[in-house]
Amino acid sequence: MEDHKEHQNFVTIDVHAAKDMLNLDGYHYLDVRTVEEFKKSHVENAQNVPYMFLTEQGRVQNPDFIDQVEAIYKKDDHLIVACNSGGRASRACVDLLDHGYKHVVNMGGGYSAWVDAGFAGDKPPEELKTSCKFHPKQS
């Protein structure tokens, strides 16, 4: 098992700040949801690299996540990382920072918050959003 550096802190921004950064500051949107979630709806010009997969055995981290991100982005690129609601993106931010990415921010609330803010177009939210299968089940 690979040793990880001490978890680094990352900045979480809201969807309004993310939208502004995508429009003005040269940031890239890295969507870490599953391919199925991404295909349903996503932020324009987003790149999709799933952080986790749903398998018959449950949730499994994508073992090639960092390699797949490195094939798309340089370590000094500015990335806004998001999933459906924030959990996977938070963990992805830590991994990216631990692997030398310097400009990584987490979009709080994920794509669900993006949709709720009205940034995803005119379709009803239920057609755009997916229920998050990655939250632990409540007992």
Side-chain angles (χ1 to χ4, degrees):
M1 182 174 217
E2 183 177 321
D3 289 325
H4 285 280
K5 298 176 188 174
E6 184 177 323
H7 291 289
Q8 299 187 32
N9 290 330
F10 55 87
V11 173
T12 296
I13 59 172
D14 68 22
V15 295
H16 299 279
K19 188 172 194 298
D20 290 344
M21 292 165 81
L22 287 168
N23 289 333
L24 302 174
D25 295 332
Y27 272 77
H28 305 281
Y29 190 101
L30 174 60
D31 191 320
V32 298
R33 297 177 299 157
T34 64
V35 171
E36 295 78 18
E37 289 173 298
F38 185 80
K39 283 182 179 177
K40 186 168 186 175
S41 179
H42 57 267
V43 171
E44 187 177 347
N45 298 319
Q47 293 289 327
N48 180 229
V49 179
Y51 185 72
M52 297 185 87
F53 300 114
L54 282 176
T55 68
E56 291 180 8
Q57 294 76 33
R59 296 175 286 206
V60 177
Q61 186 172 337
N62 177 357
D64 300 318
F65 176 72
I66 294 296
D67 290 339
Q68 291 171 347
V69 173
E70 287 176 343
I72 302 168
Y73 298 116
K74 297 181 211 136
K75 294 199 175 179
D76 58 352
D77 282 342
H78 291 74
L79 304 178
I80 296 171
V81 182
C83 60
N84 190 52
S85 60
R88 289 171 281 173
S90 296
R91 287 175 279 191
C93 285
V94 170
D95 284 357
L96 290 166
L97 289 165
D98 284 350
H99 283 86
Y101 282 82
K102 296 170 181 56
H103 310 287
V104 175
V105 297
N106 177 48
M107 187 174 81
Y111 188 69
S112 288
W114 184 270
V115 171
D116 290 342
F119 298 154
D122 295 333
K123 287 185 179 178
E126 59 273 8
E127 289 184 28
L128 301 171
K129 295 196 301 190
T130 56
S131 60
C132 190
K133 298 171 182 76
F134 289 92
H135 283 299
K137 291 185 178 181
Q138 303 292 323
S139 345

